[in-house]
Amino acid sequence: MKPLIVKLGGSVITDKRRRFAVKRAVLRRLARELAAAKGPLVLVHGGGSFGHPMASEYKIAEGYKNQRQLMGFSLTHRAMEKLNTHIIDALQEVGVPAMAIPPSACVVVEGGRIKSMELTPVRKLLELGLVPVLYGDVVPDLSKGMSILSGDQLIAHLARELEVSRVILGVDVDGVYTADPKKNRGTKLMRRITLADKAKLVASLGAAGGRDVTGGMANKVRELLALAERGMEAEIVNATKPGTLRRAILGERGLGTRVVAR
Ligand code: ADP
């Protein structure tokens, strides 16, 4: 059975307005929804108010420029480990054998893009029936010294390498809109994004997003369209609405925005 990849956005599991604030009740509910998965599952989560403020304070995404950033690298990773611990705990409490896989220990990037990733442990854990949990992280960069690896780039890479059945992204809005629904009025939810929409869409979404260090919604769509090019299907759903993620995991389509080839 091919694995399913689910990403929990940082905006879903943390309160982005307060540093190091986990939405505990939401996380408990989402752990129960994830426990509904019938087959192999890989979970990825974002950084929210744990990773982003620290990464941006030390300008990690700009690459290595000064020694002060070394502590920033260390602190950002630690912050992500702390958030990850909450997620693993929540999953264990509902009987899901979750296992943290820190990307900084198995990924090397070049110019911010994944150059290599050691996936043997992930494959083996999946085979055994464990649920590997990865996250957006700071990583060594062959050209820039250091970079941020977004959870969104990670899911795209994992989806390609593990030949997953489907990718589900849980965010805090109903899907992809014509513009950021939190900043604009009269925006429309797009039910389906295909390769034919690529050029115009990435340009317009790019203009709307960009408030966090890894590029917001435009980046997600870009990564998912690259998967669609390989025939893989993905859907962006609202994980803040109780039951939606569970329904998507159980195979329902059309709950948010589908990103597909045609
Ligand atoms: P996460 O941290 O959950 O991965 P992000 O904060 O990076 O998510 O992206 C989700 C956010 O993107 C939404 O909360 C929304 O405010 C913003 N956004 C920007 N542009 C759009 C758009 N065109 N459609 C939907 N959301 C958008």
Side-chain angles (χ1 to χ4, degrees), residues 229-246:
E229 259 161 14
R230 292 167 173 249
M232 261 176 257
E233 61 161 309
E235 183 152 352
I236 301 178
V237 300
N238 192 337
T240 67
K241 286 193 176 158
T244 302
L245 187 70
R246 184 197 311 259

mmCIF file of all heavy atoms in Angstrom, residues 229-246:
data_model
loop_
_atom_site.group_PDB
_atom_site.id
_atom_site.type_symbol
_atom_site.label_atom_id
_atom_site.label_comp_id
_atom_site.label_asym_id
_atom_site.label_seq_id
_atom_site.Cartn_x
_atom_site.Cartn_y
_atom_site.Cartn_z
ATOM 1 N N GLU A 229 2.753 17.621 -11.969
ATOM 2 C CA GLU A 229 3.477 17.334 -13.224
ATOM 3 C C GLU A 229 3.884 15.861 -13.302
ATOM 4 O O GLU A 229 4.048 15.316 -14.377
ATOM 5 C CB GLU A 229 4.735 18.209 -13.314
ATOM 6 C CG GLU A 229 4.526 19.397 -14.224
ATOM 7 C CD GLU A 229 5.528 20.521 -14.004
ATOM 8 O OE1 GLU A 229 6.559 20.296 -13.334
ATOM 9 O OE2 GLU A 229 5.261 21.628 -14.507
ATOM 10 N N ARG A 230 4.057 15.252 -12.163
ATOM 11 C CA ARG A 230 4.425 13.833 -12.136
ATOM 12 C C ARG A 230 3.203 12.946 -11.916
ATOM 13 O O ARG A 230 3.332 11.777 -11.539
ATOM 14 C CB ARG A 230 5.430 13.580 -11.026
ATOM 15 C CG ARG A 230 6.752 14.226 -11.322
ATOM 16 C CD ARG A 230 7.609 14.231 -10.074
ATOM 17 N NE ARG A 230 8.943 14.695 -10.403
ATOM 18 C CZ ARG A 230 10.020 13.927 -10.393
ATOM 19 N NH1 ARG A 230 9.934 12.677 -10.064
ATOM 20 N NH2 ARG A 230 11.192 14.423 -10.709
ATOM 21 N N GLY A 231 2.044 13.538 -12.045
ATOM 22 C CA GLY A 231 0.814 12.753 -11.956
ATOM 23 C C GLY A 231 0.321 12.500 -10.543
ATOM 24 O O GLY A 231 -0.576 11.692 -10.318
ATOM 25 N N MET A 232 0.907 13.190 -9.556
ATOM 26 C CA MET A 232 0.461 12.968 -8.179
ATOM 27 C C MET A 232 -0.616 13.978 -7.805
ATOM 28 O O MET A 232 -0.556 15.128 -8.241
ATOM 29 C CB MET A 232 1.636 13.126 -7.227
ATOM 30 C CG MET A 232 2.226 11.800 -6.842
ATOM 31 S SD MET A 232 3.654 12.064 -5.824
ATOM 32 C CE MET A 232 4.935 11.770 -7.001
ATOM 33 N N GLU A 233 -1.555 13.571 -6.991
ATOM 34 C CA GLU A 233 -2.607 14.514 -6.623
ATOM 35 C C GLU A 233 -2.462 15.004 -5.189
ATOM 36 O O GLU A 233 -2.012 14.280 -4.298
ATOM 37 C CB GLU A 233 -3.991 13.911 -6.828
ATOM 38 C CG GLU A 233 -4.266 12.684 -5.998
ATOM 39 C CD GLU A 233 -5.757 12.387 -5.871
ATOM 40 O OE1 GLU A 233 -6.541 13.298 -5.500
ATOM 41 O OE2 GLU A 233 -6.135 11.249 -6.140
ATOM 42 N N ALA A 234 -2.829 16.246 -5.000
ATOM 43 C CA ALA A 234 -2.735 16.837 -3.670
ATOM 44 C C ALA A 234 -3.986 17.651 -3.399
ATOM 45 O O ALA A 234 -4.678 18.067 -4.326
ATOM 46 C CB ALA A 234 -1.508 17.731 -3.597
ATOM 47 N N GLU A 235 -4.249 17.877 -2.119
ATOM 48 C CA GLU A 235 -5.377 18.742 -1.777
ATOM 49 C C GLU A 235 -5.031 19.580 -0.547
ATOM 50 O O GLU A 235 -4.409 19.092 0.399
ATOM 51 C CB GLU A 235 -6.637 17.893 -1.518
ATOM 52 C CG GLU A 235 -7.844 18.764 -1.224
ATOM 53 C CD GLU A 235 -9.184 18.136 -1.610
ATOM 54 O OE1 GLU A 235 -9.202 17.069 -2.248
ATOM 55 O OE2 GLU A 235 -10.205 18.743 -1.266
ATOM 56 N N ILE A 236 -5.404 20.842 -0.623
ATOM 57 C CA ILE A 236 -5.196 21.755 0.504
ATOM 58 C C ILE A 236 -6.542 21.922 1.195
ATOM 59 O O ILE A 236 -7.514 22.349 0.572
ATOM 60 C CB ILE A 236 -4.666 23.126 0.008
ATOM 61 C CG1 ILE A 236 -3.341 22.930 -0.744
ATOM 62 C CG2 ILE A 236 -4.498 24.096 1.172
ATOM 63 C CD1 ILE A 236 -2.733 24.204 -1.320
ATOM 64 N N VAL A 237 -6.606 21.525 2.478
ATOM 65 C CA VAL A 237 -7.893 21.585 3.185
ATOM 66 C C VAL A 237 -7.768 22.388 4.479
ATOM 67 O O VAL A 237 -6.661 22.634 4.964
ATOM 68 C CB VAL A 237 -8.421 20.165 3.535
ATOM 69 C CG1 VAL A 237 -8.620 19.328 2.281
ATOM 70 C CG2 VAL A 237 -7.492 19.451 4.518
ATOM 71 N N ASN A 238 -8.914 22.759 5.019
ATOM 72 C CA ASN A 238 -8.927 23.523 6.261
ATOM 73 C C ASN A 238 -8.896 22.576 7.460
ATOM 74 O O ASN A 238 -9.903 21.960 7.806
ATOM 75 C CB ASN A 238 -10.186 24.394 6.305
ATOM 76 C CG ASN A 238 -10.110 25.424 7.410
ATOM 77 O OD1 ASN A 238 -9.361 25.241 8.381
ATOM 78 N ND2 ASN A 238 -10.861 26.487 7.284
ATOM 79 N N ALA A 239 -7.735 22.473 8.092
ATOM 80 C CA ALA A 239 -7.590 21.539 9.218
ATOM 81 C C ALA A 239 -8.102 22.140 10.521
ATOM 82 O O ALA A 239 -8.134 21.463 11.546
ATOM 83 C CB ALA A 239 -6.139 21.117 9.373
ATOM 84 N N THR A 240 -8.506 23.415 10.500
ATOM 85 C CA THR A 240 -9.056 24.007 11.721
ATOM 86 C C THR A 240 -10.539 23.643 11.870
ATOM 87 O O THR A 240 -11.129 23.837 12.921
ATOM 88 C CB THR A 240 -8.906 25.549 11.757
ATOM 89 O OG1 THR A 240 -9.729 26.105 10.731
ATOM 90 C CG2 THR A 240 -7.472 25.983 11.542
ATOM 91 N N LYS A 241 -11.144 23.132 10.801
ATOM 92 C CA LYS A 241 -12.554 22.703 10.863
ATOM 93 C C LYS A 241 -12.616 21.247 11.286
ATOM 94 O O LYS A 241 -12.146 20.370 10.550
ATOM 95 C CB LYS A 241 -13.220 22.868 9.496
ATOM 96 C CG LYS A 241 -13.518 24.297 9.156
ATOM 97 C CD LYS A 241 -14.448 24.369 7.950
ATOM 98 C CE LYS A 241 -14.824 25.819 7.678
ATOM 99 N NZ LYS A 241 -15.252 25.996 6.278
ATOM 100 N N PRO A 242 -13.182 20.978 12.474
ATOM 101 C CA PRO A 242 -13.200 19.610 12.983
ATOM 102 C C PRO A 242 -13.743 18.613 11.958
ATOM 103 O O PRO A 242 -14.777 18.851 11.345
ATOM 104 C CB PRO A 242 -14.115 19.710 14.203
ATOM 105 C CG PRO A 242 -13.979 21.123 14.659
ATOM 106 C CD PRO A 242 -13.817 21.933 13.410
ATOM 107 N N GLY A 243 -13.017 17.522 11.790
ATOM 108 C CA GLY A 243 -13.480 16.440 10.921
ATOM 109 C C GLY A 243 -13.001 16.522 9.477
ATOM 110 O O GLY A 243 -13.010 15.522 8.760
ATOM 111 N N THR A 244 -12.591 17.706 9.044
ATOM 112 C CA THR A 244 -12.213 17.861 7.628
ATOM 113 C C THR A 244 -10.977 17.046 7.281
ATOM 114 O O THR A 244 -10.953 16.334 6.267
ATOM 115 C CB THR A 244 -11.990 19.356 7.300
ATOM 116 O OG1 THR A 244 -13.189 20.048 7.599
ATOM 117 C CG2 THR A 244 -11.632 19.567 5.830
ATOM 118 N N LEU A 245 -9.964 17.118 8.118
ATOM 119 C CA LEU A 245 -8.737 16.372 7.833
ATOM 120 C C LEU A 245 -9.026 14.867 7.832
ATOM 121 O O LEU A 245 -8.584 14.138 6.949
ATOM 122 C CB LEU A 245 -7.649 16.707 8.858
ATOM 123 C CG LEU A 245 -6.284 16.111 8.529
ATOM 124 C CD1 LEU A 245 -5.669 16.795 7.313
ATOM 125 C CD2 LEU A 245 -5.329 16.214 9.701
ATOM 126 N N ARG A 246 -9.837 14.429 8.801
ATOM 127 C CA ARG A 246 -10.176 13.000 8.872
ATOM 128 C C ARG A 246 -10.856 12.533 7.578
ATOM 129 O O ARG A 246 -10.501 11.513 7.009
ATOM 130 C CB ARG A 246 -11.101 12.739 10.064
ATOM 131 C CG ARG A 246 -11.428 11.255 10.258
ATOM 132 C CD ARG A 246 -12.636 11.047 11.145
ATOM 133 N NE ARG A 246 -12.560 11.814 12.377
ATOM 134 C CZ ARG A 246 -12.213 11.319 13.558
ATOM 135 N NH1 ARG A 246 -11.923 10.048 13.658
ATOM 136 N NH2 ARG A 246 -12.171 12.094 14.614
#
